[in-house]
Amino acid sequence: MSTSLPARGVALWALLSLAVGSFGIGMTEFVVMGLLPDIAQEMLPGEWATDPDAAIAQTGWLISLYALGVVVGAPTIAGSVARFPRHRVMIILAAALTFFNALTFLLPTFELVAASRFLAGLPHGAYFGIGALVAADVLGPGMRAKGVAFVLTGLTLANVVGVPLGTALGQEVGWRAAFMLVAGIFLIATVLITLFVPQHAGSPGRTLRAELRVFRIGQVWLALAVGAIGFGGFFAVYSYIAPVVTEVAGSPEWAVPIVLMVMGAGMTVGNLIGGHLADVHLARTLLWGYVALAAVLALLAATASSIYALGFFVFAVGFVSSGLSPTIQTRLMDVAGDNQSIAAALNHSALNLGNSVGAFLGGVVIAAGWGFLAPAWVGVALALCGLGLAVVSVATERRRDASMAPA
């Protein structure tokens, strides 16, 4: 990291530039969820004609493949580039996101689009992980979680503005138009990062082999499991929110972008408050956050037949889950020791493994004929598993600290 903090104006422009890229990532990751029926109808016409529910479930693979790209790319890319200047790495990552999302817009078949979604996921975790380190350096000591939250603000704002806009555009013009817009946003981010992110040295002595030593730390595995399993509860619901709005609540298709906007508003507020609470007391925020997530998912499942109740609890789910995100990220960085570059990126591997697991399990229960609310109950179970793992992680750390304390 740089040894001196940039001037306030320079820091603000740097953070805003990074946030534009995270806005694009929020769009490319989540806009698929509101367009699943549209993509299924165009890309899988045979399956759509015979069984629309099964076609939607199969199209959910696009969500899982993107998430798996993040899982694979985050540790390998972040570990491999740890020694290079971080501002240059961010430029390359933003350019790669531009190119791979343009492929999603251009490629003609479901199989090729699926491959492009995997490729688009590869730079995701490294972008957020290295961007979080740059933001933490800009904001200075004692504000690490706030720095992480600032980088994530673009992602949450994408769910207020970008995802509903992309969903409405995709419904009106065709789903490919949403990805053309996403590629354009990443192109803008690439230019802004080139112009405004100041030089940030990497760690010249770090290699991929050295960074991978992070996996020798037991608490790292626990922190990853907390994020991957617990956060899967959120994605089990979010992945299939479009059919919940239209089929369960009985609302027209134009209501889907509005519901997505409501969830995005909850995510934006929750992200900012979660960053503050994590700086105050990280463990307490983590544990109570998962209790709250399980509760609001259950309430959503119980009341989703009313569009008004659905809107309220969609906001609550977004608020609670996004409040957990900077908390999980900071927890992982705290337990990773000197392996900060790969640890910051691994959080996004964990969350997107949760994305993949949640979307997959949600698709399984829908395809089994259990209805579009079944993923919400899957989400409750996953959130409670995340809570249990968080309790184990915090209790283990406290026992270790107590044993090391002087008598």
Side-chain angles (χ1 to χ4, degrees):
M1 293 184 184
S2 58
T3 55
S4 60
L5 295 178
R8 184 173 181 178
V10 176
L12 177 60
W13 275 105
L15 292 172
L16 288 174
S17 300
L18 295 172
V20 171
S22 66
F23 182 93
I25 288 177
M27 278 197 70
T28 193
E29 181 172 16
F30 297 127
V31 76
V32 175
M33 298 169 183
L35 293 172
L36 282 182
D38 303 86
I39 299 172
Q41 191 168 4
E42 179 187 327
M43 303 298 289
L44 301 170
E47 293 85 344
W48 180 266
T50 58
D51 190 344
D53 289 358
I56 290 173
Q58 184 175 341
T59 308
W61 295 354
L62 299 180
I63 301 170
S64 297
L65 285 168
Y66 179 92
L68 288 175
V70 181
V71 173
V72 172
T76 53
I77 294 176
S80 299
V81 303
R83 64 186 184 276
F84 298 112
R86 290 181 179 137
H87 63 290
R88 294 180 184 174
V89 171
M90 295 302 294
I91 294 170
I92 294 171
L93 292 172
L97 286 160
T98 304
F99 176 72
F100 292 136
N101 280 278
L103 287 181
T104 300
F105 163 65
L106 293 169
L107 293 173
T109 67
F110 181 80
E111 291 77 14
L112 290 175
V113 167
S116 76
R117 298 310 296 153
F118 175 80
L119 292 173
L122 292 174
H124 172 131
Y127 183 97
F128 273 123
I130 297 171
L133 294 176
V134 173
D137 184 53
V138 165
L139 292 181
M143 301 181 70
R144 298 172 68 209
K146 290 184 179 69
V148 172
F150 197 105
V151 174
L152 292 172
T153 297
L155 186 150
T156 58
L157 285 175
N159 286 277
V160 179
V161 180
V163 173
L165 175 63
T167 302
L169 180 66
Q171 291 173 346
E172 186 67 25
V173 182
W175 66 267
R176 293 180 186 276
F179 288 96
M180 180 175 66
L181 177 61
V182 168
I185 290 169
F186 281 126
L187 181 60
I188 294 170
T190 304
V191 174
L192 291 175
I193 293 169
T194 303
L195 293 175
F196 296 116
V197 173
Q199 293 188 8
H200 280 261
S203 303
R206 302 301 294 181
T207 64
L208 177 59
R209 182 176 180 180
E211 288 285 313
L212 290 176
R213 291 172 187 161
V214 72
F215 291 111
R216 298 178 182 177
I217 303 171
Q219 279 288 359
V220 166
W221 284 103
L222 274 174
L224 290 172
V226 167
I229 296 174
F231 226 69
F234 165 71
F235 286 112
V237 171
Y238 197 6
S239 299
Y240 301 97
I241 195 66
V244 171
V245 173
T246 57
E247 303 299 324
V248 177
S251 296
E253 190 177 51
W254 57 258
V256 175
I258 297 174
V259 172
L260 291 172
M261 188 179 299
V262 170
M263 178 171 277
M267 293 175 71
T268 300
V269 178
N271 176 61
L272 296 174
I273 293 177
H276 170 73
L277 293 175
D279 279 330
V280 173
H281 200 297
L282 193 146
R284 188 179 301 156
T285 303
L286 182 65
L287 297 175
W288 282 107
Y290 272 118
V291 171
L293 181 59
V296 295
L297 286 170
L299 290 168
L300 183 149
T303 62
S305 58
S306 164
I307 188 62
Y308 301 105
L310 177 62
F312 178 83
F313 286 112
V314 156
F315 179 92
V317 169
F319 177 89
V320 175
S321 61
S322 199
L324 277 167
S325 185
T327 307
I328 296 168
Q329 171 102 55
T330 307
R331 171 70 178 172
L332 185 54
M333 292 167 67
D334 284 348
V335 301
D338 295 331
N339 309 286
Q340 291 294 293
S341 292
I342 195 169
L346 276 172
N347 178 58
H348 296 278
S349 285
L351 297 185
N352 279 272
L353 185 58
N355 186 344
S356 182
V357 169
F360 173 74
L361 293 178
V364 167
V365 294
I366 290 172
W370 294 354
F372 288 114
L373 285 180
W377 294 111
V378 171
V380 172
L382 290 173
L384 291 174
C385 289
L387 172 63
L389 290 166
V391 169
V392 172
S393 177
V394 172
T396 301
E397 184 176 59
R398 287 176 177 172
R399 284 196 298 271
R400 185 205 65 187
D401 292 344
S403 67
M404 295 176 63

